[in-house]
């Protein structure tokens, strides 16, 4: 039995995974011990006379294995296995030793030794089963740990790849951001330049209008001054003649002419002062402003400005100013710019329609068409309304939806920046008002005329 136990023990230790992995050098030792145990078992079976000797040799080897496992540090990992084999070895050694030195006692307690041997083997089998489960659990843990390590390595690789992608994407986004910032800077610069161009265009039209407006009183001043010069020459002649009646008539004419010179001089002075007030840089401060006078002034300035640039231009102007409008707190330069932009667009629309109709031969509409711009004001319960209407080309719905967008224009390249209506819309909004447009295009078959009307609403 001892050799069978040794064969089982050495075979178990030789094939154990822990022995193979941690102590591969022990494989040869366990193999030699396994062969030796097998040989001793064969001798024990073949030669009955050697049974006593071989049995005690087996006991000695078993006890040495137990002793070596407990006292040599190198065999310390084998202690759990010794715990399983030691009861069986101890029971068999005590049983054989008792049979040898006290046979009577052994005969009386033979059943006790048999029971102890059975329990020792049950302990060995139980330890083997437990150890096998532990080995399986440890193997599962090892596999799980290996799987987790593999997953960790995969996740680490994925993390590294993602970090590289994030770095590349960050660099790309940074480059795009810098490019967009550069583009935005260029757009802002271009927008500022276009706004400046729009303001300079408005200033040019104002200048032309002012020149034309001031030219009329100056012509009167020049004409009456020349008449007075001629009358003074005649006065000198009459003085030498001594004709008092003629002298009185000449002096009377001189006085009348001087009154007209003073009148038109004051008119020119008022025009210059008014234009300086409206054309100077806006302070951004609202002040009481006569809307009717402001609207009439910029209407005439727009018309004369366009006439100064194009002598062939001609259109009718009709006004309908409500006397109840009075003064409204606005920034006059800004509202004046809005009215100028709207009136300029109205004159452009009627001029374009006139040109389009002139290309149609034998058209009754071309001969009867009368370009007209209407400017009206009205006092309401909520504030003041200003309307600018023309019987020009009209606007399709697709144009009306975009008419107040920056840089959108229906004019040919070079004739408009597309900022006039956008700036006007912003100015009116800044005043707490509304700027809207209604329009219809012509349908000759239905006798429908085209027109456009801009509507400004300013609150009190």
């Amino acid at each position: 039995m001892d050799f069978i136990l040794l064969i089982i023990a050495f075979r178990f230790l030789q094939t154990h995974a822990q022995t193979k992995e941690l102590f591969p050098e022990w494989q040869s030792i366990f193999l030699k011990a396994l062969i030796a145990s097998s040989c001793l078992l064969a001798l024990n079976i073949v030669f009955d006379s050697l049974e006593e000797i071989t049995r005690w040799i087996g006991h000695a080897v078993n006890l040495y294995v137990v002793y070596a496992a407990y006292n040599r540090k190198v065999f310390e990992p084998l202690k759990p296995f010794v715990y399983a084999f030691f009861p069986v070895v101890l029971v068999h050694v005590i049983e054989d030793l008792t049979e040898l030195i006290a046979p009577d006692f052994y005969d009386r307690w033979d059943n006790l030794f048999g029971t102890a041997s059975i329990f020792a083997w049950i302990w060995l089998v139980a330890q083997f089963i437990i150890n096998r489960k532990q080995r399986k659990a440890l193997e599962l843990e090892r596999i799980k740990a290996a799987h987790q390590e593999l997953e960790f390595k995969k996740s680490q690789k994925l993390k590294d790849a993602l970090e590289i992608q994030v770095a590349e994407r960050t660099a790309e986004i940074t480059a795009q951001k810098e490019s967009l910032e550069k583009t935005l800077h260029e757009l802002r610069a271009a927008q500022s330049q276009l706004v400046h161009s729009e303001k300079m265009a408005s200033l040019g039209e104002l200048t032309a209008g002012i020149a034309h407006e001031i030219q009329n009183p100056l012509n009167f001043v020049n004409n009456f001054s020349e008449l007075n010069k001629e009358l003074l020459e005649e006065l000198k002649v009459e003085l030498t003649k001594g004709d008092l009646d003629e002298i009185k008539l000449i002096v009377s004419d001189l006085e009348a002419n001087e009154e007209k010179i003073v009148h038109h001089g004051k008119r020119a002075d008022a025009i210059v002062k008014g234009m300086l007030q409206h054309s100077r840089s806006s302070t951004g401060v609202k002040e009481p402003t006569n809307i009717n006078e402001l609207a009439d002034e910029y209407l005439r300035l727009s018309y004369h400005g366009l006439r100064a640039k194009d002598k062939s231009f001609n259109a009718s102007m009709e006004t309908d100013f409500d006397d109840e409008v009075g003064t409204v707190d606005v920034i006059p330069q800004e509202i004046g710019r809005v009215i100028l932009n709207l009136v300029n667009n109205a004159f452009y629309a009627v001029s374009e329609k006139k040109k389009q109709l002139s290309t149609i031969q034998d058209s009754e509409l071309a001969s009867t068409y009368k370009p007209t711009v209407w400017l009206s004001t009205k006092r309401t319960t909520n504030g003041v309304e200003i309307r600018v209407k023309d019987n020009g080309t009209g606007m399709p719905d697709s144009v009306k939806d975009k008419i107040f967008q920056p840089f959108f224009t229906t004019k040919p390249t070079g004739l408009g920046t597309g900022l006039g209506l956008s700036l006007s819309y912003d100015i009116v909004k800044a005043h707490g008002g509304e700027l809207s447009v209604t329009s219809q295009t012509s349908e000759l078959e239905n006798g429908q005329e085209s027109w456009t009307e801009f509507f400004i609403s300013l609150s009190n």
Side-chain angles (χ1 to χ4, degrees):
M1 184 63 67
D2 293 287
F3 298 113
I4 295 175
L5 185 63
L6 285 173
I7 292 172
I8 294 173
F10 289 133
R11 179 58 181 170
F12 174 79
L13 293 173
Q14 184 190 16
T15 57
H16 197 277
Q18 187 176 7
T19 306
K20 291 181 179 180
E21 292 180 5
L22 301 179
F23 309 101
E25 67 276 7
W26 291 2
Q27 293 291 310
S28 59
I29 297 174
F30 291 142
L31 178 62
K32 292 175 181 177
L34 180 62
I35 295 172
S37 299
S38 300
C39 293
L40 289 173
L41 177 62
L43 290 174
N44 189 22
I45 294 172
V46 174
F47 302 102
D48 293 335
S49 59
L50 297 176
E51 180 181 358
E52 290 293 332
I53 298 173
T54 55
R55 183 167 40 173
W56 283 104
I57 292 174
H59 288 328
V61 174
N62 283 329
L63 290 174
Y64 176 76
V65 170
V66 172
Y67 172 79
Y70 273 93
N71 290 278
R72 294 192 180 183
K73 191 173 182 180
V74 68
F75 292 117
E76 189 172 349
L78 296 178
K79 284 184 178 181
F81 309 114
V82 173
Y83 293 146
F85 286 96
F86 181 70
V88 178
V89 173
L90 183 63
V91 167
H92 283 286
V93 170
I94 293 174
E95 182 182 4
D96 290 341
L97 184 62
T98 303
E99 185 181 4
L100 179 65
I101 62 177
D104 295 335
F105 180 82
Y106 175 78
D107 291 338
R108 287 196 307 268
W109 298 98
D110 181 44
N111 293 333
L112 178 63
F113 287 110
T115 304
S117 178
I118 293 172
F119 277 108
W121 278 101
I122 292 174
W123 168 262
L124 176 62
V125 173
Q127 289 298 314
F128 266 71
I129 294 172
I130 293 171
N131 183 264
R132 182 178 181 83
K133 288 182 178 181
Q134 290 177 345
R135 284 167 57 188
K136 286 184 178 181
L138 289 174
E139 183 66 17
L140 289 176
E141 289 294 329
R142 186 188 66 80
I143 294 173
K144 184 178 180 180
H147 180 70
Q148 289 178 346
E149 184 179 0
L150 181 62
E151 290 296 326
F152 176 76
K153 289 181 179 179
K154 288 182 179 179
S155 63
Q156 194 66 30
K157 288 181 179 179
L158 181 60
K159 177 185 174 184
D160 295 340
L162 288 175
E163 286 180 351
I164 294 173
Q165 291 180 0
V166 169
E168 292 176 350
R169 186 59 179 164
T170 302
E172 182 181 351
I173 291 174
T174 303
Q176 290 178 351
K177 176 176 174 288
E178 293 175 353
S179 177
L180 288 174
E181 287 179 348
K182 181 179 178 182
T183 303
L184 179 61
H185 178 73
E186 293 175 351
L187 285 174
R188 284 176 175 171
Q191 184 181 25
S192 299
Q193 185 176 359
L194 286 171
V195 170
H196 178 71
S197 299
E198 180 69 26
K199 290 181 178 180
M200 292 304 294
S202 299
L203 181 61
E205 292 166 355
L206 278 173
T207 303
I210 291 171
H212 190 278
E213 280 291 299
I214 205 171
Q215 188 64 46
N216 288 332
L218 288 179
N219 285 339
F220 280 107
V221 171
N222 292 332
N223 291 337
F224 286 113
S225 296
E226 291 177 1
L227 286 174
N228 282 355
K229 184 179 180 181
E230 294 175 1
L231 289 173
L232 287 172
E233 292 294 334
E234 292 180 7
L235 181 60
K236 289 179 182 180
V237 174
E238 295 300 328
L239 284 173
T240 57
K241 292 180 180 182
D243 188 349
L244 293 178
D245 293 334
E246 189 65 28
I247 290 173
K248 290 180 179 179
L249 289 174
I250 293 173
V251 171
S252 178
D253 290 339
L254 284 171
E255 289 176 348
N257 290 344
E258 282 299 320
E259 289 177 359
K260 291 180 180 179
I261 289 173
V262 171
H263 171 74
H264 289 291
K266 290 182 177 179
R267 183 186 171 196
D269 181 65
I271 291 172
V272 171
K273 288 181 179 178
M275 290 305 98
L276 287 175
Q277 180 182 6
H278 293 309
S279 62
R280 70 175 182 262
S281 297
S282 173
T283 60
V285 178
K286 294 181 179 181
E287 56 187 71
T289 304
N290 190 308
I291 296 297
N292 289 343
E293 292 181 0
L294 187 72
D296 184 64
E297 193 171 18
Y298 277 93
L299 173 65
R300 287 185 288 104
L301 288 175
S302 174
Y303 178 77
H304 294 310
L306 293 174
R307 285 277 297 170
K309 291 191 294 185
D310 184 6
K311 297 298 183 182
S312 63
F313 171 76
N314 193 15
S316 297
M317 297 180 291
E318 296 188 12
T319 59
D320 181 15
F321 297 141
D322 186 356
D323 294 334
E324 299 295 326
V325 169
T327 60
V328 179
D329 288 337
V330 296
I331 304 173
Q333 299 87 353
E334 300 294 335
I335 296 300
R337 183 177 291 124
V338 172
I339 296 173
L340 183 68
N341 281 330
L342 298 181
V343 174
N344 282 345
N345 286 339
F347 281 133
Y348 175 80
V350 298
S351 177
E352 285 297 303
K353 185 173 181 179
K354 183 69 174 178
K355 292 177 182 178
Q356 293 175 8
L357 294 176
S358 64
T359 60
I360 303 175
Q361 297 180 354
D362 301 328
S363 173
E364 181 180 353
L365 186 59
S367 59
T368 58
Y369 175 66
K370 182 182 179 182
T372 307
V373 173
W374 294 268
L375 178 59
S376 63
T377 60
K378 183 180 179 181
R379 167 65 69 175
T380 64
T381 56
N382 297 324
V384 174
E385 295 178 356
I386 304 173
R387 295 177 183 266
V388 179
K389 184 177 181 180
D390 65 76
N391 59 349
T393 54
M395 297 182 194
D397 292 337
S398 59
V399 172
K400 284 190 291 185
D401 293 339
K402 297 182 288 185
I403 196 67
F404 295 118
Q405 292 180 5
F407 309 111
F408 177 80
T409 179
T410 57
K411 296 178 182 178
T413 304
L415 292 182
T417 61
L419 289 172
L421 288 176
S422 175
L423 290 174
S424 299
Y425 185 85
D426 292 339
I427 290 171
V428 175
K429 278 288 185 182
H431 280 75
E434 294 289 338
L435 176 60
S436 58
V437 61
T438 56
S439 181
Q440 79 175 18
T441 54
S442 61
E443 294 182 8
L444 297 179
E445 62 275 11
N446 297 330
Q448 180 175 297
E449 291 293 337
S450 58
W451 55 269
T452 299
E453 183 175 30
F454 284 90
F455 175 75
I456 303 172
S457 174
L458 297 176
S459 59
N460 291 321

